């Protein structure tokens, strides 16, 4: 939808991208307070509030003639989305045994992939480009429907002991598993979001000159992420999340370089590689983090998601200027630089992990 917004509101590509980055800014502003709430209140209540506000803000996006109002409502959506995402991750971590968490978190990552793909296909295929506003209404209705089916079934386990043993936020941030997971998330999503935020502009212009429908179809590469989430979790159980993260980062970097080749087969292969690499890193990082937790799951997952989206915001903000100055080569260069973070985290974790640590092979075999 970004090129459509650019044309209809007569704004620049970087301004149109505010409709994406505003969500990330909103999430960054509320992530930590929501993490505290998730540790204290039932997930089903928080999810219901999050879904209602997010859907209502989407309805305003669909109706407003003002781009400034649209961006503001997108920020509101971002502020309340963590009531959904953080609740789910923390609930899984509280209710599942440690041996099941790697695969469960991989499945959680795959669910986010399906949501991202569904939203893009809905906006690009279900409605004509000029009728993008209907997508906001449809997605909001779907969100409400799913939430009211799922939320009542999220029965929390007793966690009074966790609440009595509340850990200060600074201590949570300084935990080694937390630091490593946050760095990996920042770099991986920064690289991924930069590419996928600007490639509609890149592909809609020469030498590609692809239509909106064709660009939308390319988002079907997200399907690769549906399979990589649980698969990466199983690989992490067998080999350790450190080596899985290294492999994901290397695949991501090769795929980034391949986007420079002006040929449809190379483009398809590179986009599939981007999805495989990114979702492998993401599943390994979030799975490893949650396996290390014994409490403060809301705070820990909120911090992880905060750095995840801060990486995306940083990549999008940096990418706008680089794309204007250097074209697609600037986007690739910035993404490659960001991808060094998860690669470094994977290498450090693999080399320095000891029995019982979050990324060691021994830990996953016990």
């Amino acid at each position: 939808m970004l090129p459509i917004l650019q044309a209809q509101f007569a704004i620049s590509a970087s301004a149109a991208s505010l409709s994406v980055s505003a969500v990330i800014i909103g999430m960054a502003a509320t992530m930590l307070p929501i993490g505290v709430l998730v540790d204290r209140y039932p997930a089903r209540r928080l999810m219901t509030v999050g879904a209602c506000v997010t859907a209502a803000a989407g309805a305003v996006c669909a109706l407003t003639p003002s781009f400034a109002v649209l961006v503001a409502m997108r920020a509101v959506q971002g502020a309340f989305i963590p009531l959904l995402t953080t609740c789910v991750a923390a609930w899984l971590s509280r209710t599942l045994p440690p041996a099941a968490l790697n695969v469960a978190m991989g499945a959680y990552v795959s669910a986010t992939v399906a949501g991202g793909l569904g939203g893009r296909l809905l906006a690009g295929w279900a409605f004509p480009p000029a009728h993008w506003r209907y997508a906001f209404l449809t997605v909001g209705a779907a969100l409400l429907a799913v939430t009211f089916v799922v939320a009542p079934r999220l029965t929390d386990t007793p966690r009074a002991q966790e609440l009595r043993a509340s850990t200060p936020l600074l201590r949570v941030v300084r935990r080694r598993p937390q630091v490593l997971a946050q760095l990996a998330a920042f770099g991986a999503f920064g690289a991924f979001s930069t590419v996928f935020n600007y490639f509609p502009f890149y592909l809609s212009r020469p030498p590609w000159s692809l239509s909106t429908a064709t660009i939308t179809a390319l988002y079907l590469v997200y399907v690769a992420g549906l399979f990589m989430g649980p698969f990466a979790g199983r690989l992490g159980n067998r080999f350790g999340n450190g080596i899985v993260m290294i492999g994901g980062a290397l695949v991501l970097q090769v795929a980034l370089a391949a986007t420079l080749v002006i040929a449809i087969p190379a483009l398809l292969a590179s986009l599939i590689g981007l999805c495989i690499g990114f979702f492998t890193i993401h599943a390994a990082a979030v799975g490893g983090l949650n396996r290390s937790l014994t409490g403060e799951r809301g705070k820990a997952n909120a911090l992880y998601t905060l750095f995840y989206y801060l990486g995306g915001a940083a990549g999008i903000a940096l990418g706008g200027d680089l794309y204007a100055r250097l074209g697609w080569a600037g986007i690739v260069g910035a993404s490659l630089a960001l991808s060094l973070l998860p690669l470094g985290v994977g290498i450090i974790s693999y080399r320095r992990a000891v029995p019982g640590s979050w990324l060691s092979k021994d830990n996953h075999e016990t």
Side-chain angles (χ1 to χ4, degrees):
M1 285 167 44
L2 293 180
I4 306 299
L5 295 179
Q6 180 185 11
Q8 288 197 1
F9 289 100
I11 53 179
S12 66
S14 58
S17 295
L18 287 174
S19 62
V20 176
S21 56
V23 179
I24 300 172
I25 293 169
M27 295 181 76
T30 63
M31 196 71 68
L32 295 182
I34 286 175
V36 175
L37 293 176
V38 169
D39 284 329
R40 293 182 176 274
Y41 297 101
R44 58 184 179 274
R45 296 180 187 174
L46 298 176
M47 286 185 67
T48 301
V49 172
C52 290
V53 176
T54 302
V60 177
C61 289
L63 298 172
T64 181
S66 167
F67 184 71
V69 172
L70 187 149
V71 171
M73 289 299 101
R74 292 287 282 162
V76 171
Q77 286 188 309
F80 283 83
I81 283 175
L83 284 175
L84 300 162
T85 57
T86 304
C87 279
V88 171
W91 184 82
L92 287 171
S93 183
R94 278 197 294 265
T95 56
L96 294 178
L101 273 177
N102 251 8
V103 177
M105 287 300 174
Y108 165 76
V109 169
S110 292
T112 67
V113 177
L117 174 62
R120 285 161 174 80
L121 295 183
L122 179 67
W125 277 356
F127 305 109
H131 295 164
W132 55 267
R133 296 175 184 273
Y134 294 149
F136 278 107
L137 296 174
T138 307
V139 169
L143 174 61
L144 288 175
V146 171
T147 301
F148 284 115
V149 169
V150 172
R153 290 167 169 78
L154 299 185
T155 303
D156 278 327
T157 56
R159 53 187 189 280
Q161 183 177 356
E162 288 186 19
L163 293 177
R164 287 196 300 267
S166 181
T167 304
L169 183 62
L170 185 59
R171 288 185 60 187
V172 176
V173 174
R174 292 171 58 186
R175 291 178 63 245
R176 181 173 180 267
Q178 191 76 45
V179 172
L180 292 176
Q182 289 168 180
L183 288 174
F186 184 96
F189 191 56
F192 184 79
S193 63
T194 302
V195 171
F196 275 87
N197 195 70
Y198 286 99
F199 96 77
F201 298 107
Y202 173 55
L203 297 179
S204 64
R205 298 168 183 169
W208 297 100
S209 299
L210 301 180
S211 67
T212 299
T214 302
I215 294 172
T216 300
L218 291 174
Y219 278 100
L220 286 170
V221 298
Y222 268 49
V223 172
L226 293 175
F227 300 100
M228 282 313 302
F231 183 60
R234 294 186 183 94
L235 290 177
N237 282 339
R238 182 171 182 180
F239 301 107
N241 285 332
I243 196 68
V244 172
M245 199 177 300
I246 292 171
L250 292 176
V251 170
L252 180 66
Q253 291 172 347
V254 171
L256 283 168
T259 63
L260 294 168
V261 179
I262 309 298
I264 290 293
L267 176 66
L268 289 172
S270 66
L271 294 178
I272 292 171
L274 286 169
C275 289
I276 290 174
F278 166 68
F279 289 113
T280 297
I281 296 168
H282 184 21
V286 74
L289 171 64
N290 277 277
R291 289 198 63 172
S292 75
L293 299 176
T294 57
E296 305 295 345
R297 292 173 173 86
K299 290 180 184 175
N301 280 284
L303 282 166
Y304 174 87
T305 310
L306 172 62
F307 276 82
Y308 177 90
Y309 283 106
L310 284 176
I316 291 172
L318 176 65
D321 185 61
L322 289 175
Y323 184 61
R325 292 173 179 270
L326 303 174
W328 188 249
I331 297 295
V332 172
S335 298
L336 282 171
L338 286 165
S339 72
L340 294 176
L341 280 175
L343 178 63
V345 168
I347 293 172
I348 291 170
S349 301
Y350 180 71
R351 295 183 62 181
R352 296 187 180 181
V354 295
S357 67
W358 78 298
L359 283 174
S360 68
K361 183 178 178 181
D362 292 335
N363 182 54
H364 294 294
E365 291 176 345
T366 55

